[in-house]
Amino acid sequence: MANDIVIWHNPRCSKSREALKLLQEEGIEPVIYKYLDEHPSKEEIQKVLDMIGAKPRDIMRTKEAIYKELGLKDVEDDEKLIEAMAEHPKLIERPIVIKDGKAVLGRPPQKVLELVKEG
């Protein structure tokens, strides 16, 4: 599993489907993690943030209704933002691809190829 490439995937998202297709065209069959169904823990989200080198809001879908409903625009506490993503995974931007302790947000989807073609 250590060498596996994992994609945090939402099959209903065109960008996520495009990133998956790009990987498959490279002969890569990633482990598909349907994060909306499996709900990543706060620890998993923090680990991905560390791998990307990002802050919580960098991987948040700030245009989602739930973002506004929860009043997250005014939240400065990273821990609270991570908690919100763990409770409401719809807030997590997709796709996220993980390989060898590194991760990338596939926006645009072609960014996933930069990660998988490294070393």
Side-chain angles (χ1 to χ4, degrees), residues 36 45 48 57 67 79-80 90-91 116:
L36 291 176
I45 294 168
V48 164
R57 206 174 313 272
Y67 182 86
E79 188 66 29
K80 291 203 182 320
K90 190 177 203 179
L91 287 167
V116 299

Side-chain angles (χ1 to χ4, degrees), residues 7 9 33 67 76 79 92 96 105 113:
I7 183 170
H9 182 59
Y33 178 61
Y67 182 86
E76 297 297 325
E79 188 66 29
I92 302 170
I96 294 172
L105 178 61
L113 294 180

Side-chain angles (χ1 to χ4, degrees), residues 106-119:
R107 295 277 172 162
Q110 291 74 14
K111 284 186 77 172
V112 304
L113 294 180
E114 296 169 17
L115 177 68
V116 299
K117 289 184 176 184
E118 282 182 4

Side-chain angles (χ1 to χ4, degrees), residues 8 16 23 35 38-39 53 55 68 73 75 79 112 115 117:
W8 285 26
S16 197
L23 291 172
Y35 68 95
E38 299 179 40
H39 289 233
K55 293 295 225 174
K68 291 173 183 65
K73 184 178 94 163
V75 174
E79 188 66 29
V112 304
L115 177 68
K117 289 184 176 184

Side-chain angles (χ1 to χ4, degrees), residues 5 20-30 113 116-117:
I5 294 173
L20 178 58
K21 184 175 183 239
L22 287 170
L23 291 172
Q24 290 170 332
E25 286 172 352
E26 290 293 319
I28 297 165
E29 279 303 327
L113 294 180
V116 299
K117 289 184 176 184

Side-chain angles (χ1 to χ4, degrees), residues 9-105:
H9 182 59
N10 175 355
R12 296 180 61 194
C13 170
S14 63
K15 299 289 185 209
S16 197
R17 288 192 312 269
E18 189 178 338
L20 178 58
K21 184 175 183 239
L22 287 170
L23 291 172
Q24 290 170 332
E25 286 172 352
E26 290 293 319
I28 297 165
E29 279 303 327
V31 173
I32 296 174
Y33 178 61
K34 293 184 180 175
Y35 68 95
L36 291 176
D37 299 336
E38 299 179 40
H39 289 233
S41 67
K42 293 184 298 188
E43 294 78 17
E44 288 173 303
I45 294 168
Q46 183 60 63
K47 194 172 177 183
V48 164
L49 286 167
D50 293 343
M51 286 189 263
I52 293 174
K55 293 295 225 174
R57 206 174 313 272
D58 297 337
I59 68 163
M60 287 186 92
R61 298 178 58 79
T62 57
K63 297 197 178 7
E64 284 292 335
I66 190 76
Y67 182 86
K68 291 173 183 65
E69 288 167 25
L70 295 173
L72 295 174
K73 184 178 94 163
D74 302 318
V75 174
E76 297 297 325
D77 182 348
D78 285 354
E79 188 66 29
K80 291 203 182 320
L81 294 174
I82 292 169
E83 281 176 25
M85 285 189 278
E87 288 176 33
H88 307 278
K90 190 177 203 179
L91 287 167
I92 302 170
E93 190 62 86
R94 69 257 177 176
I96 294 172
V97 174
I98 302 165
K99 176 191 176 215
D100 297 334
K102 294 181 185 168
V104 67
L105 178 61

